[in-house]
Amino acid sequence: MRRSILSSLRAHLGRLVAACLAIVLGVGFGTLAMTAHASASHGIDETIGKQYAGVDAVITPDQGFIQPTDLAAVRKLPQVASAVSLTTSYLQITWPGKFRPDYLGVDARYDTSRIAGPVAGTGRLPDSSLELALPAKLAEKYKVALGSKLRLSDSNDKSWTVTVVGTLDDTGSVGPSNAVATAQTVHLFDPEAYVSRVEIAAGPGVTQQALATAVTGLAGNGLKVYTGEGWIKHEVENYTHGIDVLGGVFGMFAVIALFVACLVIGNTFTIVIAQRTREMALLRCVGASRRQVFSSVLAEATVVGVVASAVGVVFGVALSALALALTREFDWGIPAIDLHLDLASVALPLLLGTIATILAAVVPARRATKVAPLAALRPEVAPAAASKAGVLRLVLGFLLLAGGGLLLAASTQSRQVLIGVAGGVVSFLGILAVGSLLVPALIKLLGALPARGGGVPARIAVGNAVRNPKRTAATTSALLIGVTLISLTCVGIASVRKTFDVTMDDQYPVDVMVAAYNEKMPATGEKQLHDIKGITQVVPVRTISVKTGSQELNVTGIDPAAAPPVVHNADLVNKLKPGTALLDNNTMNMLELSDGSDLTLVAGKNKVTMKAFVATGLDPITISQADLQILAPGAAITGYWLASDPKADGPTVIDAVKGSLPTVKDLSVGGGLAERSSYTQIFDVLLIVGIGLLGVSVLIALVGVGNTLSLSVLERTRENALLRAMGLTRRQLRGMLAIESLLMALVAAGLGIALGLIYGWTGTTALMAGQTADGSVQYALPVGMLVTIALVAAVAGLLASVLPARRAAKVAPAGALASE
């Protein structure tokens, strides 16, 4: 049997190429996910391990503050060899070429003979008063050279001039880093600088646990003590939690890709074994038992699985190395990570790919053993359309559909995402179960138009597509999974984004709010702001100080006619009219008012009484420009409300606004643009990652479509030859196969998009209904994206038919009719 298996693999290798490619893609994707996760986790471990080298115990604030007496007491312990405190002062800094200060944290330098500390990248670390070492990324961003003088100031306007003597190596840091100065300099900046932790090195022969126990006895209330290993683990968990979550998402998509690959593999082995029925019958006739036939098929699957999975592992590792190289090549704001291979990230995908291949071949192998030898030597009879197994499968499918639908409805009512996930899985299994009935019916419906207007080749194509319902359903199910998941992702993210946008419009109705304190805006202020790239509308506002009862408050006035372009909440715009005042919640509570209450504002000898209404996201009190003119006829422009282009980069726009209006000394910039932009970027990344990852499963599915057509061409060699002999041209034959492939792809795309809409909307309801203030959810229909998905599926279906069609067209009619 061993030689029979090897000769069979050699003979049918071409037919197994598609199955091998599906395994390579599925396993490669899984390897990429696991290797990238292992490399990121290992990189974080190494980075944090180096950062805390020599640390045997750590004291951190929990519900209190670290006092100088705590550090002094720790240093007196006999178990302690060295103890240092991480002390930070927060100051304002004016960068070269900037006219408005920014904020900078300055850490006090400490003894690094036993405990790791900051390392100079260029220059040196500070060793004298009023010397500073800047993080390298910060120095590069603001073009600060060694020897430069910088101006630092505190909240009391006390200032110092410092000299930059070095830059810090921050290549392994995530996010912003602090500058470093001597402890004396930091004490000069702030005698009560914040102590974030105390790091301790143990004396000879003292274990970390013994050191932590001794320190715990001295630590005051509200302080927490970690061993060095415990602190590193704590920090690693803080960093890797997001990596673990992302790894879980990658792993989920890898499982999906492997599942789709299993469908392709199972379909391939089913067709290959069906074509080898006579060969296996001959083996039975010459003495092979059912067990041997079954074992031979599984042995072939094992060889295919091992070889293809090994190639997939190499492919996945290569992709991981390429991805990590790109992170080092481009400035994506994350530390450089080296490729790290562990046993699990290599062995597990290899094992899962092999097992998945074997499991996918079990059903075809069992089917190969159930045909009697002599019966198998006779021509194959077409499978019955309505067998007992088929009826049971349909009944089970409809039950799963009903049960899944009930779970989806329950998830929208209970707002439980897990129930919705279960409902989606159960209902989708129902769709797969009834696929042999549903898919051919949809193909006949969709194929009615080309069958009527496309002539004989189109009618034959429709007939061929539904000739074997189970095979057609299995082929389209692989593509259906990918399209459903992509559509679900697009619809879900679009709906969540729309819901978030409406919520943001309620919480932050104005994109950018610019205000000056005790200053007038320059005459050209509106034009300066309008000239900023990304700003679409600029509306001036005026602020005055008024009295209401015993309270003195600031009131902002805006022209109601100019408000709609910059105030994104239509309800607030409608309320903003003469005689009404919009108050935020804090002001309403402070003045003990409710919606519709009378509010009297007094400015000097002028007084206005109006109706008060609650408004979120505006200034404490916002009134119409007409009412403000009554209170203060000569009020000057003190600020602007801005609207931004939704496609503009929020942080860039905010930085440009902060750097504008140079004559204004103290400029306040607020609004919802920064938060809106950060979430928008997250949505964009999720959409790109989701589509990219799920696209792999679609690629695998299209391999299956092409494989099915290729094997179908082999099955119908004599039939195609007969059609050619009767006058069908090569072009018509290729068109026939293209229509057949296009119909399967369009049915899978249409059904997948419909399911994606249902799952996306129900998932958004379960996820977001409890996250909004009024429980409302906004449903989005990303028409452009869904049309693109359908077009891509159609084009891909046509491409999948190219090679099989060329192969079919090359066969000479007479030669094919003469072949057995």
Side-chain angles (χ1 to χ4, degrees), residues 51 57 314 366 491 517 617 632 651 735 779:
Q51 183 178 346
V314 174
R366 288 188 61 190
V491 171
Y517 293 107
Y779 301 108

Side-chain angles (χ1 to χ4, degrees), residues 99-100 512 514 524-538 640 642-645 648-662 667 669 673:
F99 50 83
R100 199 165 284 121
V512 184
V514 179
T524 60
E526 184 173 346
K527 183 180 184 305
Q528 290 182 48
L529 292 171
H530 215 296
D531 289 341
I532 294 174
K533 185 177 180 180
I535 297 298
T536 58
Q537 295 288 338
V538 180
Y640 299 95
L642 318 178
S644 64
D645 186 344
D649 180 61
T652 302
V653 172
I654 293 292
D655 286 343
V657 172
K658 288 181 177 179
S660 64
L661 308 176
L667 188 71
V669 179
L673 180 60

